[in-house]
Amino acid sequence: METIEFRTGTYPLHHDPNFNYQLNRAVMLSGGALDEIRSVTNQIKDIPTWIETLLSLADKAKAEKRILNPRDVTRF
């Protein structure tokens, strides 16, 4: 049986509490790379820049073939 290890706590990733919460979710729940996410947080100013920044990270991960297997993602 595979052991699942959950991270605990939160990181101060953004001054806006809503963006901070969502960025922490990306790190904690979907295996997001903390350093990679931390490196782009200063680009997030509002919803349009949130979308642009996160899509850019997604495109980079896709190009590097860093895509989770759908069976590895827990659905809530």
Side-chain angles (χ1 to χ4, degrees):
M1 177 179 263
E2 185 178 339
T3 302
I4 298 173
E5 189 173 316
F6 293 98
R7 297 179 188 178
T8 59
T10 59
Y11 298 98
L13 299 173
H14 199 277
H15 66 276
D16 182 289
N18 294 316
F19 291 136
N20 190 61
Y21 174 76
Q22 295 301 334
L23 290 165
N24 271 279
R25 286 186 63 203
V27 171
M28 300 297 182
L29 297 178
S30 65
L34 177 60
D35 291 337
E36 186 174 36
I37 289 172
R38 192 175 268 151
S39 73
V40 298
T41 59
N42 63 340
Q43 298 171 27
I44 300 170
K45 310 292 184 215
D46 50 23
I47 297 296
T49 57
W50 163 269
I51 293 167
E52 180 182 323
T53 301
L54 275 286
L55 285 177
S56 175
L57 283 181
D59 289 341
K60 181 176 183 260
K62 185 177 177 183
E64 295 171 358
K65 300 192 184 325
R66 293 185 291 130
I67 306 299
L68 287 176
N69 185 331
R71 66 184 174 90
D72 294 336
V73 178
T74 303
R75 302 214 185 267
F76 294 95

